[in-house]
Amino acid sequence: MRTFTNVKDLGDLNAAILEALEVKKNRFNYKALGENKTVMLVFFNSSLRTRLSSQKAAMNLGMNSMVLDVNQGAWRLETERGVVMDGDKTEHLLEAIPVMGAYCDIIGVRSFAQFENKADDYSEKVLNQFIKYSGRPVFSMESAIGHPLQAFADLITIEEFKTKPRPKVVLTWAPHPKALPQAVPNSFADFMNEADVDFVITHPEGYELDPQFVRGAKVEYDQKKAFEDAGFIYAKNWSAFRDDVYGQILSKDMNWTVDAEKMSLTDSAFFMHCLPVRRNMIVTDEVIESPQSIVIPEAANREISCQVVLKRMLEGLAPKSPEGDFAVAK
Ligand code: CP
């Protein structure tokens, strides 16, 4: 595996789930794979789960890990080509990326949407430069438009907790005080559309997601109707995708908060959220603290989704050239 940015990179999804369950049972069986190999985790944005689970996955595989917080101690990076660099940005990504590639075998990148230009966000400007210029396998640790490690962990969790072969899974929008990217719901839809589930998305009008991710999913604007007979409720806030309101908050309607009354409409559904979560905005204390809440096992599976991706990337590594095999941007 050279890249992990979406569900297609996993190939056969059922095989990936089986591999994840096997890795979870025997997570220290692959230590030889990562011997003398290094993963570099590059963060342009904050993280708790992704940072820790990725390092833990690397340790399970016998790898070394290095973490770079770009905004805390590194030079400020220019991402635009052709600019006269007479401002506060000291280094260009086009040098910084191959330099990072020279120090490691695999790179993980977290770089959120900027909400300044929709076309830039949806072209994955930063992530794609790492793919193009690092010379290393690159995995997304949440990019401008996707969070595939999260969605893969979500799918593993659904597989573990489902009580019927094809459960109904509902992705519901819920209110939040800040404008959030569409990365998590995009990837969740990307994965659920390929999984053996009955997938429904519910949100207020105006919050339609990118059709490339929604694909054939049913969109139901009545949240209570969507919840009927659901086996899993996956709550998440996102900002508007539509061109004229891209990145904006259109509603903070607290009637969309997931509460016990709405959960009672489901088929004893499990409650999921990627975390961090704003309690009593997205979900009530009562629901997130209930026995049906599986947010902690879901977060724990982030270690497993990352370990499968790192394991596949290690298995695909060519012997390293002593001269270095990274690309130099021209
Ligand atoms: N779910 C998730 O990616 O959490 P962090 O932002 O804390 O990494």
Side-chain angles (χ1 to χ4, degrees):
M1 183 190 271
R2 286 295 295 184
T3 59
F4 180 62
T5 64
N6 59 55
V7 70
K8 294 269 182 266
D9 289 327
L10 286 177
D12 182 332
L13 199 50
N14 286 326
I17 293 169
L18 289 176
E19 186 175 341
L21 298 176
E22 202 284 320
V23 161
K24 190 167 181 174
K25 266 193 282 183
N26 302 296
R27 67 189 76 189
F28 304 116
N29 274 12
Y30 307 93
K31 274 197 175 287
L33 263 183
E35 191 182 7
N36 297 329
K37 295 287 188 288
T38 300
V39 63
M40 183 177 291
L41 307 173
V42 183
F43 287 92
F44 289 81
N45 305 94
S46 304
S47 165
L48 187 155
R49 278 144 292 274
T50 305
R51 173 186 300 260
L52 297 178
S53 61
S54 302
Q55 288 184 81
K56 181 63 166 61
M59 285 190 260
N60 293 349
L61 290 162
M63 300 184 81
N64 302 301
S65 62
M66 295 193 286
V67 178
L68 179 67
D69 288 298
V70 172
N71 297 318
Q72 289 173 17
W75 300 115
R76 289 208 67 198
L77 295 177
E78 177 59 63
T79 58
E80 296 297 319
R81 196 172 203 156
V83 294
V84 177
M85 287 176 60
D86 59 355
D88 60 348
K89 294 180 176 163
T90 310
E91 178 155 25
H92 204 288
L93 261 189
L94 292 176
E95 282 78 55
I97 290 173
V99 167
M100 291 182 219
Y103 300 145
C104 66
D105 301 278
I106 296 172
I107 300 185
V109 182
R110 166 164 286 202
S111 175
F112 291 173
Q114 300 290 309
F115 289 148
E116 286 164 11
N117 181 316
K118 181 176 175 178
D120 281 355
D121 286 344
Y122 271 73
S123 69
E124 292 282 35
K125 223 170 174 181
V126 173
L127 181 66
N128 280 333
Q129 291 194 69
F130 274 87
I131 291 170
K132 192 166 176 189
Y133 297 121
S134 71
R136 302 293 176 225
V138 172
F139 64 98
S140 165
M141 298 195 297
E142 186 172 345
S143 66
I145 66 166
H147 197 357
L149 282 176
Q150 180 66 52
F152 186 21
D154 297 334
L155 179 58
I156 296 165
T157 311
I158 289 169
E159 186 65 26
E160 290 175 323
F161 281 85
K162 71 184 184 185
T163 56
K164 53 173 77 164
R166 189 178 167 85
K168 178 176 177 183
V169 176
V170 178
L171 167 63
T172 180
W173 180 93
H176 194 280
K178 291 169 67 178
L180 298 186
Q182 297 107 31
V184 169
N186 283 347
S187 283
F188 189 70
D190 190 33
F191 274 68
M192 288 305 115
N193 278 318
E194 300 304 316
D196 195 10
V197 302
D198 176 14
F199 183 46
V200 177
I201 306 174
T202 184
H203 55 72
E205 293 209 19
Y207 278 102
E208 290 76 14
L209 292 163
D210 185 344
Q212 71 166 306
F213 298 107
V214 175
R215 303 203 282 272
K218 179 176 166 57
V219 177
E220 170 59 68
Y221 292 99
D222 181 336
Q223 190 192 33
K224 289 185 176 172
K225 200 166 166 202
F227 273 41
E228 287 170 8
D229 301 322
F232 294 87
I233 298 297
Y234 192 97
K236 186 70 185 84
N237 174 270
W238 62 88
S239 59
F241 167 74
R242 223 174 57 207
D243 284 352
D244 57 329
V245 284
Y246 176 65
Q248 292 181 26
I249 296 175
L250 306 181
S251 164
K252 291 184 189 174
D253 186 353
M254 299 291 276
N255 289 317
W256 281 77
T257 301
V258 177
D259 60 17
E261 188 192 331
K262 286 178 202 160
M263 291 299 284
S264 73
L265 300 171
T266 69
D267 181 15
S268 302
F270 291 104
F271 175 80
M272 300 179 73
H273 188 281
C274 62
L275 304 182
V277 68
R278 300 271 184 150
R279 282 176 173 230
N280 304 307
M281 290 285 300
I282 300 277
V283 57
T284 61
D285 289 333
E286 188 182 3
V287 170
I288 199 167
E289 292 172 9
S290 74
Q292 292 308 102
S293 170
I294 54 172
V295 295
I296 305 304
E298 179 186 0
N301 276 334
R302 290 293 307 278
E303 176 184 335
I304 305 306
S305 63
C306 189
Q307 188 169 339
V308 172
V309 169
L310 286 175
K311 173 177 169 285
R312 288 186 174 195
M313 287 184 165
L314 286 169
E315 286 165 347
L317 281 183
K320 200 169 175 178
S321 151
E323 313 303 323
D325 55 353
F326 49 89
V328 175
K330 294 199 178 75

